[in-house]
Amino acid sequence: MQQSGPSSPSCSTSDCFPLRTLNTAACGSETMAEPQKREPADLSRMRPIVIFYGFYLLCFGLGVACVVCVCLWNSKWRGGFAWDGSSLQFNWHPVLMVTGLVVVYGNGAVLYRIPLTWGQNKLPWKLLHAALMLLALVLSIVGLCAVFDFHNAQKTPNLYSIHSWIGIAATALFAMQWVAGMAGFLLPCSPISLRKRLKPMHVWLGGSILTLSIAACISGINEKLFFVLKGINMTQPYSALPPEALLGNSLGVLIVAFGLVVLKILSTREWQRPDSRPEDMAYTPLLQEENE
């Protein structure tokens, strides 16, 4: 005859170590664990957007500071602007190149990362992106015309410095990038297979052009300061860091900071525009780095 009595607790894994809900100090002794604190879903979704807008405002502010500094430098210390073959015509070159090839280009590149554009028809934003890039390209070409006209009027050789080589390379690649982007991503007749093949190169080349543009601007600023601050004609040498040198160096730092923020925005996966439609029905956004 079997005796009935209290049986010893079972030592199964599920009883001794229940997942997330129970905490066992020893086999057979169970204590309820404190429930894990979970972040509200809305807050977790909003955090990347809030951080993005912080970086975007920083990007916008740095871009405005770059344009203000380059205009102030060439208007106050370099005498202003003209289009007569003199040094005043040259002053258009740094203003237009910094504004077009760096600031407008960078802002056009991050356009698709703005959350307000998500979930909407992509075509209007693609057109705005293409228009901003075209504006940047036109400003860059006019800036090149300004310096070439100045050099020709002053009988100065063209394209002899590393600065000029990098700048020409960046502008030429930019022009090819814009034409290829227009043909591959905006024309309705472009096949989806072409867009898929073109997209990785378009993304890589977009970041490379921005990097080349920053390098060209930095080398150009340094070259210009060495040319004009030689310590003659009652001017202080560059090594003495007069106010003009401080402004020029500050402009270079602002350009680098602007470029780093743009590249950060473009490379952060959480800030990429989610597809609102199937891939075979949607245009592939320009300068978007989503994995297909």
Side-chain angles (χ1 to χ4, degrees), residues 121-138:
N121 185 4
K122 295 179 182 179
L123 186 57
W125 299 104
K126 292 170 75 71
L127 294 174
L128 179 58
H129 172 88
L132 287 175
M133 291 304 191
L134 180 60
L135 174 61
L137 182 60
V138 170

Side-chain angles (χ1 to χ4, degrees), residues 143-177:
L144 291 178
C145 291
V147 70
F148 278 117
D149 285 350
F150 168 73
H151 283 172
N152 294 335
Q154 301 296 322
K155 302 299 189 291
T156 303
N158 291 305
L159 301 177
Y160 64 89
S161 65
I162 186 66
H163 159 68
S164 60
W165 289 13
I166 296 175
I168 284 292
T171 307
L173 288 174
F174 185 16
M176 292 187 290
Q177 170 91 327

Side-chain angles (χ1 to χ4, degrees), residues 7-260:
S7 60
S8 61
S10 174
C11 192
S12 64
T13 303
S14 60
D15 291 336
C16 293
F17 304 102
L19 183 61
R20 293 186 181 179
T21 57
L22 298 176
N23 183 17
T24 306
C27 183
S29 62
E30 296 177 348
T31 57
M32 295 298 296
E34 293 184 1
Q36 292 184 345
K37 295 181 179 179
R38 294 185 178 181
E39 193 175 30
D42 292 341
L43 182 59
S44 63
R45 286 196 299 265
M46 285 295 297
R47 178 174 294 172
I49 297 178
V50 172
I51 296 175
F52 166 82
Y53 277 115
F55 273 90
Y56 183 74
L57 290 176
L58 179 60
C59 172
F60 183 81
L62 288 171
V64 172
C66 289
V67 175
V68 170
C69 282
V70 72
C71 290
L72 179 63
W73 177 25
N74 288 277
S75 60
K76 182 176 180 179
W77 275 279
R78 296 292 99 213
F81 306 94
W83 201 278
D84 54 4
S86 66
S87 60
L88 299 182
Q89 178 174 338
F90 177 88
N91 293 342
W92 283 111
H93 175 66
V95 171
L96 294 175
M97 301 307 283
V98 170
T99 303
L101 207 55
V102 176
V103 177
V104 177
Y105 182 94
N107 280 279
V110 302
L111 179 65
Y112 283 107
R113 297 299 193 268
I114 301 176
L116 289 177
T117 68
W118 298 355
Q120 301 182 24
N121 185 4
K122 295 179 182 179
L123 186 57
W125 299 104
K126 292 170 75 71
L127 294 174
L128 179 58
H129 172 88
L132 287 175
M133 291 304 191
L134 180 60
L135 174 61
L137 182 60
V138 170
L139 292 175
S140 304
I141 293 174
V142 176
L144 291 178
C145 291
V147 70
F148 278 117
D149 285 350
F150 168 73
H151 283 172
N152 294 335
Q154 301 296 322
K155 302 299 189 291
T156 303
N158 291 305
L159 301 177
Y160 64 89
S161 65
I162 186 66
H163 159 68
S164 60
W165 289 13
I166 296 175
I168 284 292
T171 307
L173 288 174
F174 185 16
M176 292 187 290
Q177 170 91 327
W178 191 89
V179 173
M182 174 66 70
F185 295 102
L186 277 178
L187 293 182
C189 60
S190 62
I192 297 174
S193 59
L194 174 63
R195 284 182 245 145
K196 288 184 177 180
R197 292 189 180 97
L198 186 61
K199 179 180 177 179
M201 178 60 68
H202 190 83
V203 170
W204 174 80
L205 194 57
S208 300
I209 291 169
L210 180 61
T211 304
L212 288 174
S213 302
I214 293 171
C217 289
I218 296 302
S219 59
I221 292 169
N222 201 37
E223 184 179 287
K224 179 65 175 179
L225 290 174
F226 274 119
F227 282 162
V228 299
L229 298 178
K230 297 180 179 179
I232 59 177
N233 296 329
M234 300 182 66
T235 61
Q236 291 180 285
Y238 188 14
S239 59
L241 281 180
E244 182 177 359
L246 290 174
L247 180 62
N249 289 351
S250 299
L251 173 60
V253 172
L254 288 172
I255 290 173
V256 171
F258 175 83
L260 291 176

